[in-house]
Amino acid sequence: MNSDINHPLSRLLKYSRKYRSSIYQAITCSILNKLFDLAPPVLIGAAVDVVVQKQDSIIAKLGVKDVFGQLTVLTILSVIIWGLESLFEYGYERLWRNLAQNIQHDLRLNAYSHIQDLELEYFESRSTGRLLSILNDDINQLERFLDVGANEILQVLTTVVIISGAFFFLSPSTAWMTILPIPVIIWGAIAFQKLLAPRYGDVREKVSLLNGRLANNLTGITTIKSFTTEHYEIQRVRKDSEAYLDSNQKAIALSAAFVPLIRLVILVAFTAILLFGGMEVEKGNLAVGTYSVLVFMTQRLLWPLTRLGQTLDLYQRAMASTARVMDLLDTPITIHSGDTPLALENVKGAIAFNHITFAYHQRQPVIEEFNLEIPAGATIAIVGSTGSGKSTIVKLLLRFYEIQKGSITLDGMDIRKIVLYDLRRAIGLVSQEVFLFHGSVRENIAYGNPHVSDEEIINAAKIAEAHDFIMSLPEGYDTIVGERGQKLSGGQRQRLSIARAILKNPPILILDEATSAVDNDTEAAIARSLTHITENRTTIMIAHRLSTIRHADCIYVLEKGQIVEQGKHEDLVTKGGVYSNLWRVQTGE
């Protein structure tokens, strides 16, 4: 029972409940279309009956005696039936295809929205390519099945039920010959489905690995070129692509065998009805028109079953993809928003870390029983060696990760109780890993504030000492920066990220190694801009370059997740401790 609930199709139907009305309409149109599609063989049989039996035909028994009149009735019926068949074909085509588009649209948006709510740890243990494969390829695979496969399955089932009933009504003595192969075909279809499922699951995993490799290599193309590893990477992509090819070939080898085997079973049934039905006509036990209907119906019943192979192929691919999408949607969200709203104008910016303990997944604690109080409006700096916990503090304050012990408060309120959107809106982050989106300089500065004026954008750029270099670009503020800002230098990207933070105008500003990858001139320019940026707001500066933090109200030195020194720059230099040693190394004294 539990396996039925967890089956991808059950999960998909549960997910698609809001489209239940459209699904029922599509099913109705598919069934009605098939009913009218099965009518022409009956009309052909009736026409043969008219020509052979004339005044004794079935149509004649309805009151129309002359042959021309009977054929006219059949002609009118043909027009009506073909018209209705075409109408319902239009209906199911439109309904199923719109359903496919709507469901894949919702799935992609919901999956992407769910991904954005997951903690950073989720992304650190999974490749971007795998996630892209789910959001694109897997959802598209499901769309292809809904476009074609769902209707195919319904029409095959309708054909089996209607024609089987008609056979037993028209000629019970020969009906079993046509019906007998159907259980064999259905059993074969189920057996193939069970064998195909794990093979297509493996196909989906292999394509994820391939997509991950390609996405990773395209992102790191500069590194590949600089290390001249193009041939090495081609070999690695070839290996992943061959694994995907091999996985597909194993699935194809099985799925391709379905149709030829089914054709052999169908041949037995078709020749049986052709031979034994003909003998029944010869004996006078079966009318010629009825025999014609049976022969045509046999073909209409059995040959569509050969398409079950292609339909099953689509179905299994879709179910493998659906399972991966649903597993993503079922990934639990570990960081939940609080329900207390936070008005930006009321934020003073007093921050306190109280007895914080935090460890990354299955690792030793990075910080343990950590305490730090930052007064509202103060500019503090945090320094320390790599791995001392500096950036971890920032991630915990922004709730990118959840603490295991202790609490962090903002203006005396536990940040876990604050609406997550409001908390992050109150904090501006300038990271050492600057990410610019493919678009114009203007769009990147205004990111998160799409309705700001050009005047505000230019003013933020001037404060960040970015306006002059922007105006020297070919198209000024309309210059396209390229993917990840690759058309700009590191210092230029950094200044744009500072301008972006200025425009956000948050009550709390975090500068995480904001000058780690810039030259001395850019560092001086950023230092000048910081004197304006840090006014009237709480500022946390994390830096290796001590020259950028020497004017902080208080400097905290971290070692192994603990504060080992604190004070103003001059006091720490004269103290002769860890900070003093770092200062002497950096100044060359």
Side-chain angles (χ1 to χ4, degrees):
M1 184 70 177
N2 189 49
S3 61
D4 292 337
I5 295 173
N6 292 325
H7 190 277
L9 183 59
S10 300
R11 297 164 76 183
L12 178 62
L13 290 173
K14 184 178 179 182
Y15 176 83
S16 307
R17 278 180 297 188
K18 76 176 196 176
Y19 294 111
R20 188 170 293 172
S21 175
S22 295
I23 291 172
Y24 289 154
Q25 291 175 32
I27 290 172
T28 301
C29 285
S30 291
I31 292 173
L32 289 175
N33 168 261
K34 180 49 65 175
L35 287 175
F36 288 110
D37 178 57
L38 293 173
V42 177
L43 295 176
I44 293 171
V48 171
D49 189 50
V50 168
V51 173
V52 174
Q53 301 292 340
K54 295 182 174 49
Q55 284 78 18
D56 296 326
S57 69
I58 295 174
I59 301 297
K61 293 177 182 178
L62 298 176
V64 183
K65 295 298 183 181
D66 67 290
V67 173
F68 180 78
Q70 294 180 49
L71 292 176
T72 302
V73 170
L74 290 176
T75 301
I76 294 170
L77 286 174
S78 296
V79 171
I80 294 171
I81 288 170
W82 281 68
L84 289 172
E85 180 194 356
S86 299
L87 177 65
F88 287 116
E89 182 174 359
Y90 171 78
Y92 82 67
E93 281 275 358
R94 183 170 179 179
L95 286 164
W96 281 120
R97 291 172 72 174
N98 280 334
L99 267 170
Q101 292 300 315
N102 288 328
I103 290 174
Q104 66 94 13
H105 172 73
D106 285 352
L107 268 177
R108 184 173 287 114
L109 287 183
N110 290 342
Y112 177 70
S113 177
H114 190 78
I115 284 174
Q116 289 197 126
D117 290 334
L118 296 173
E119 72 285 0
L120 283 183
E121 186 177 355
Y122 178 86
F123 300 94
E124 291 171 353
S125 58
R126 290 162 180 83
S127 73
T128 303
R130 183 180 190 277
L131 295 177
L132 285 174
S133 176
I134 293 173
L135 291 174
N136 285 319
D137 197 46
D138 283 326
I139 291 176
N140 289 341
Q141 195 71 54
L142 175 59
E143 178 198 354
R144 284 190 285 273
F145 170 70
L146 290 174
D147 264 349
V148 180
N151 175 69
E152 286 282 347
I153 290 173
L154 282 169
Q155 295 208 333
V156 166
L157 291 175
T158 302
T159 301
V160 170
V161 172
I162 296 299
I163 295 183
S164 299
F167 267 46
F168 279 104
F169 176 76
L170 294 172
S171 178
S173 61
T174 56
W176 64 271
M177 300 176 191
T178 303
I179 304 304
L180 188 61
I182 293 177
V184 178
I185 294 171
I186 293 174
W187 173 82
I190 294 171
F192 265 75
Q193 176 187 337
K194 290 180 179 179
L195 290 172
L196 278 170
R199 297 197 182 193
Y200 278 122
D202 186 58
V203 168
R204 304 314 316 145
E205 286 303 316
K206 291 296 191 298
V207 76
S208 288
L209 294 173
L210 177 59
N211 286 341
R213 176 79 66 196
L214 292 171
N216 193 55
N217 286 8
L218 290 173
T219 304
I221 191 66
T222 302
T223 304
I224 291 171
K225 287 181 177 294
S226 66
F227 280 88
T228 62
T229 54
E230 291 92 340
H231 181 71
Y232 171 69
E233 290 301 339
I234 288 172
Q235 293 305 317
R236 295 216 291 179
V237 169
R238 177 180 284 112
K239 182 179 178 182
D240 287 340
S241 186
E242 285 174 351
Y244 175 51
L245 173 66
D246 181 63
S247 182
N248 255 313
Q249 286 177 338
K250 288 178 180 177
I252 291 169
L254 187 61
S255 65
F258 181 80
V259 172
L261 292 175
I262 294 304
R263 280 178 178 270
L264 294 176
V265 178
I266 289 172
L267 178 63
V268 173
F270 186 75
T271 53
I273 197 69
L274 200 66
L275 177 61
F276 291 102
M279 293 304 297
E280 288 293 301
V281 174
E282 177 67 21
K283 294 175 184 177
N285 297 331
L286 193 64
V288 175
T290 304
Y291 174 65
S292 302
V293 172
L294 290 177
V295 172
F296 277 114
M297 284 292 195
T298 301
Q299 189 269 340
R300 298 298 294 274
L301 170 64
L302 297 178
W303 287 115
L305 293 177
T306 60
R307 293 203 301 270
L308 269 181
Q310 296 172 331
T311 305
L312 277 177
D313 193 73
L314 273 177
Y315 174 78
Q316 284 303 342
R317 287 177 182 268
M319 290 305 100
S321 294
T322 298
R324 283 158 48 87
V325 177
M326 293 301 168
D327 286 344
L328 172 60
L329 286 171
D330 291 341
T331 303
I333 295 171
T334 58
I335 297 179
H336 299 281
S337 175
D339 52 15
T340 304
L342 185 69
L344 282 183
E345 60 272 15
N346 296 331
V347 176
K348 296 181 176 62
I351 301 167
F353 293 80
N354 306 304
H355 305 287
I356 299 297
T357 297
F358 173 78
Y360 292 101
H361 184 60
Q362 294 181 342
R363 300 184 196 172
Q364 292 297 315
V366 180
I367 55 176
E368 196 166 5
E369 287 294 322
F370 177 80
N371 294 283
L372 174 62
E373 288 193 17
I374 305 170
T379 296
I380 68 109
I382 301 174
V383 300
S385 58
T386 301
S388 59
K390 304 185 300 298
S391 294
T392 297
I393 292 170
V394 171
K395 292 174 182 176
L396 295 178
L397 178 59
L398 283 159
R399 290 195 70 199
F400 290 160
Y401 294 89
E402 203 74 291
I403 56 176
Q404 278 101 37
K405 182 182 176 185
S407 66
I408 303 173
T409 61
L410 172 58
D411 294 338
M413 184 186 303
D414 193 321
I415 62 173
R416 287 171 291 194
K417 296 180 180 179
I418 300 172
V419 173
L420 193 57
Y421 172 81
D422 290 347
L423 172 68
R424 291 176 180 168
R425 191 175 55 156
I427 302 172
L429 173 64
V430 180
S431 173
Q432 60 178 322
E433 298 176 2
V434 178
F435 189 94
L436 298 182
F437 295 89
H438 182 74
S440 68
V441 170
R442 176 183 284 102
E443 289 168 339
N444 273 282
I445 293 176
Y447 185 73
N449 299 273
H451 303 299
V452 295
S453 65
D454 284 351
E455 184 180 349
E456 291 174 291
I457 292 172
I458 293 170
N459 185 55
K462 286 180 178 178
I463 295 173
E465 302 255 351
H467 178 71
D468 290 342
F469 93 75
I470 293 172
M471 295 308 296
S472 69
L473 295 173
E475 297 177 59
Y477 282 84
D478 293 319
T479 302
I480 301 300
V481 302
E483 191 171 0
R484 302 180 68 91
Q486 60 187 356
K487 292 185 178 181
L488 304 177
S489 70
Q492 290 172 334
R493 290 196 296 269
Q494 194 64 270
R495 277 185 272 184
L496 288 188
S497 72
I498 292 173
R500 188 161 59 189
I502 293 169
L503 198 60
K504 185 180 181 182
N505 194 27
I508 301 167
L509 180 65
I510 299 173
L511 302 166
D512 186 3
E513 304 283 9
T515 61
S516 62
V518 299
D519 55 37
N520 291 331
D521 289 339
T522 303
E523 180 186 352
I526 291 174
R528 287 194 300 270
S529 66
L530 291 182
T531 59
H532 301 287
I533 297 168
T534 57
E535 289 178 0
N536 302 317
R537 74 179 84 240
T538 302
T539 306
I540 301 173
M541 305 172 68
I542 295 175
H544 278 300
R545 293 188 180 183
L546 305 185
S547 57
T548 60
I549 62 164
R550 59 188 301 177
H551 300 297
D553 296 328
C554 187
I555 299 171
Y556 297 89
V557 183
L558 257 64
E559 287 295 331
K560 297 181 180 179
Q562 295 295 325
I563 297 173
V564 294
E565 291 180 0
Q566 67 183 74
K568 286 187 172 292
H569 170 78
E570 293 78 10
D571 297 335
L572 292 174
V573 169
T574 57
K575 189 175 181 181
V578 176
Y579 185 87
S580 179
N581 290 334
L582 289 172
W583 178 255
R584 284 199 296 270
V585 169
Q586 291 190 15
T587 57
E589 293 179 3

